[in-house]
Amino acid sequence: MLYDLAEEELWSDLTVNLDDTLPAGCPFVPHDQRVYLDAIIAELANQRARSAWERGVVAYAESTLEDLDPECELYPRTVEKVLLNGAPSWHNYSWGGCALIYDADIAERLCSPSGLSRSDNGRRRPNAREEWLDTQTRACFQAAQLVKRIACTHERSAA
């Protein structure tokens, strides 16, 4: 995969920093990966997403987890690195073709029916500052944060 590194500085806030601290009391406990992954996917399925954006974020989280190798080591501290699947940042993940690549598909996943109509089914930019792939970058970042929060909560309940 080719990643556009020229804009890396613009997206430094969405890059992975493995030194980020987890919520207080979040343990780092080894576990059976498949059971753990299934529990996270089940928790995502139970999310009460109220808006089209929230449903889209949950869909990105589910799709990235379903594409994971069952042998991957998914811990709260490594969630983001594992989900990035080798990409250095969420910007590179999105623009590098690791997620949806067509504007219409991204718009359909993230927009309400009225928003989809307003954007002419993805033919128009989502806003003045972004392309659809930038919007997808934000959604993927939020999806990773959601998975990280669920993983940490699941670890606490298992400990």
Side-chain angles (χ1 to χ4, degrees):
M1 283 179 222
L2 298 175
Y3 298 106
D4 179 22
L5 297 177
E7 295 184 20
E8 188 65 33
E9 292 179 16
L10 296 174
W11 296 92
S12 62
D13 59 328
L14 296 179
T15 57
V16 176
N17 182 359
L18 295 178
D19 295 330
D20 285 345
T21 58
L22 292 170
C26 186
F28 185 70
V29 180
H31 45 269
D32 180 14
Q33 292 299 311
R34 187 72 246 169
V35 171
Y36 184 59
L37 195 56
D38 290 342
I40 292 173
I41 291 171
E43 183 70 28
L44 281 171
N46 292 331
Q47 291 291 308
R48 299 214 184 257
R50 296 184 189 122
S51 68
W53 177 266
E54 290 174 356
R55 286 189 295 275
V57 167
V58 170
Y60 277 114
E62 289 173 339
S63 68
T64 55
L65 287 174
E66 289 168 359
D67 292 342
L68 286 180
D69 177 16
E71 300 301 317
C72 72
E73 301 225 356
L74 188 68
Y75 299 107
R77 290 195 185 277
T78 62
V79 164
E80 209 160 3
K81 183 179 179 183
V82 170
L83 293 181
L84 278 168
N85 198 21
S89 69
W90 290 110
H91 175 75
N92 296 121
Y93 182 89
S94 181
W95 283 84
C98 294
L100 299 176
I101 57 173
Y102 296 111
D103 291 347
D105 294 339
I106 298 168
E108 185 178 334
R109 180 171 279 184
L110 295 172
C111 290
S112 64
S114 63
L116 198 56
S117 175
R118 230 180 0 261
S119 70
D120 193 20
N121 292 325
R123 289 185 195 92
R124 292 191 197 119
R125 293 173 64 175
N127 58 54
R129 298 173 309 279
E130 292 180 319
E131 298 292 333
W132 281 107
L133 288 169
D134 296 324
T135 304
Q136 178 175 256
T137 298
R138 285 190 296 115
C140 288
F141 175 77
Q142 290 179 11
Q145 298 306 307
L146 176 62
V147 171
K148 189 185 291 187
R149 189 168 48 251
I150 290 171
C152 190
T153 303
H154 183 70
E155 284 287 344
R156 270 188 267 169
S157 64

